[in-house]
Amino acid sequence: MPELRRCDEALGRVEALSALRPPYHVIVSGTTARHRSELLVAHQTQALQPPGSFFSLSPEVHCASPELVLLQMAEYATDLELLLLVDELCGHYGIQPRASRGLVKRSDPLTNTKRILDYLDRASTPRGASKLRRAVGRARERSGSPRESKTVHRLEFSPRLGGYGLEVVALNDPVLVERADATLATSRERIRKPDIMLLAPADAPEGSIPFRGCALDYQGGYHRDEIQAGRDTNRRNELLACGVKPYEIEKEHYDDPDYLDWLVSHIRRDLGLEELRLRPGALEARRARRERLWHDLERIDGLTWTGRSDHLLMEGSRELPREAAT
């Protein structure tokens, strides 16, 4: 366990870390010289970590890799919190309170699901590995924001867990469309990247469904700009012209369970998907599950990890199975 003075001096010599202030979180390999402090927080781990656990910032300072961070956080986070952390590290955003919008955009994700699983394969059955594997199995790469991640999981989770049971095929993946302004451009085609893409069943007979896909975009403040609004109109028209129906939601729609029910029912109809059949009297239980999932996702801010204590308070609830609450 290093002394606080030594940490201050070592971090002060790394320009990128010079603004950091205690408490510092330090990985230690054993209990020797370990002590409790409000300024130094020790996280015990196995003495030997697999290759790829750290990267060097200076001869004195080594930082945990994204894969090791996830493994360390598996001890503290609930299943949902860990899932959203995987989404963030595999996505195009980072939650940083000092940034102007609380987020920074990344052109390249810090890691991906394959790298995380490869790392776990090299580790020697560490604590939290099975929990992290579960999170990776449900995580989505290339998400553009926390709201995108949460929307995808609400759409994809089974109704038993408070979701809609839809299959999202892509996040921010390229779609080739015909340009709406082709007469003024040198190319007649362009690439669009809808936030969330859902497709009709591959075995559906041609002409039997209204659309071959539905795109769902979350409209954040970025889309309020007048110039961007005009670009969005072109984007919607181009997607419609190639058989993809574009839908958009804002925060008020995301928070309204009735609105989201209505939206999903229309997406199912557009894609030729059957409505889920419910037993008489099951509507209230299903609604309670959806509202509980919304609440559990909204509580996660990516900065504080309080879900475990919340879960202990609500553990006696009979509304949801235990796995949905966590």
Side-chain angles (χ1 to χ4, degrees):
M1 185 73 176
E3 296 178 352
L4 179 62
R5 176 184 58 80
R6 183 183 171 199
C7 286
D8 280 332
E9 292 174 353
L11 295 173
R13 287 191 280 269
V14 181
E15 183 178 355
L17 303 179
S18 59
L20 288 183
R21 297 292 179 266
Y24 304 132
H25 290 257
V26 183
I27 294 177
V28 297
S29 60
T31 57
T32 305
R34 182 180 180 186
H35 58 271
R36 293 182 178 274
S37 167
E38 294 182 358
L39 301 179
L40 279 175
V41 182
H43 300 269
Q44 187 174 354
T45 187
Q46 61 193 54
L48 295 176
Q49 293 288 354
S53 295
F54 302 94
F55 58 93
S56 178
L57 297 175
S58 78
E60 300 172 285
V61 181
H62 301 273
C63 185
S65 68
E67 296 78 23
L68 179 56
V69 168
L70 287 168
L71 192 54
Q72 291 284 315
M73 288 307 299
E75 181 179 352
Y76 303 94
T78 64
D79 286 353
L80 271 183
E81 287 175 327
L82 192 60
L83 170 60
L84 290 182
L85 182 57
V86 176
D87 288 337
E88 177 183 345
L89 297 184
C90 294
H92 293 287
Y93 65 94
I95 299 175
Q96 292 188 15
R98 294 186 182 89
S100 58
R101 296 172 54 214
L103 293 174
V104 293
K105 290 292 185 181
R106 296 190 180 112
S107 57
D108 297 310
L110 297 181
T111 187
N112 56 56
T113 55
K114 183 180 184 305
R115 280 173 54 183
I116 297 169
L117 293 176
D118 288 346
Y119 177 80
L120 290 176
D121 289 340
R122 297 194 302 272
S124 56
T125 60
R127 182 170 55 187
S130 59
K131 183 177 178 180
L132 180 52
R133 287 184 187 276
R134 288 198 306 271
V136 171
R138 283 183 167 169
R140 299 305 303 254
E141 297 179 336
R142 296 185 297 279
S143 176
S145 71
R147 189 69 59 196
E148 276 184 34
S149 297
K150 293 177 180 181
T151 302
V152 166
H153 296 313
R154 290 180 72 186
L155 293 175
E156 282 199 318
F157 275 19
S158 72
R160 184 171 59 87
L161 299 180
Y164 289 95
L166 291 174
E167 182 182 358
V168 175
V169 298
L171 265 73
N172 298 296
D173 274 11
V175 177
L176 187 65
V177 299
E178 181 183 357
R179 296 179 66 110
D181 54 353
T183 56
L184 305 176
T186 56
S187 172
R188 296 189 59 83
E189 296 177 327
R190 65 153 51 104
I191 295 293
R192 292 297 191 185
K193 295 183 178 181
D195 291 351
I196 297 170
M197 176 67 79
L198 306 99
L199 295 179
D203 57 356
E206 189 173 351
S208 64
I209 50 176
F211 297 92
R212 63 189 183 97
C214 285
L216 180 60
D217 285 281
Y218 185 82
Q219 298 294 95
Y222 167 74
H223 295 272
R224 304 288 186 275
D225 178 78
E226 185 175 344
I227 295 177
Q228 183 58 40
R231 294 170 179 163
D232 288 345
T233 299
N234 269 359
R235 183 176 178 280
R236 287 190 294 270
N237 290 340
E238 289 168 352
L239 288 171
L240 274 170
C242 71
V244 176
K245 187 173 184 179
Y247 283 102
E248 298 169 352
I249 61 170
E250 300 189 12
K251 180 67 164 61
E252 62 186 88
H253 306 137
Y254 174 91
D255 291 335
D256 185 339
D258 293 326
Y259 190 96
L260 213 55
D261 285 354
W262 172 85
L263 183 65
V264 168
S265 69
H266 279 269
I267 289 175
R268 286 186 173 279
R269 183 197 63 188
D270 293 336
L271 300 180
L273 302 173
E274 291 185 7
E275 285 287 347
L276 297 177
R277 295 193 176 96
L278 296 175
R279 302 187 311 275
L283 285 173
E284 283 189 25
R286 184 184 177 194
R287 184 182 180 90
R289 289 185 172 90
R290 290 198 305 271
E291 290 181 355
R292 178 61 176 275
L293 178 60
W294 170 85
H295 172 272
D296 286 346
L297 287 170
E298 286 305 284
R299 177 189 43 73
I300 300 171
D301 59 9
L303 299 172
T304 54
W305 308 94
T306 57
R308 190 174 299 281
S309 58
D310 283 358
H311 171 59
L312 292 177
L313 293 174
M314 299 183 290
E315 195 170 8
S317 172
R318 295 172 181 258
E319 292 180 355
L320 283 177
R322 180 181 178 88
E323 64 181 301
T326 57

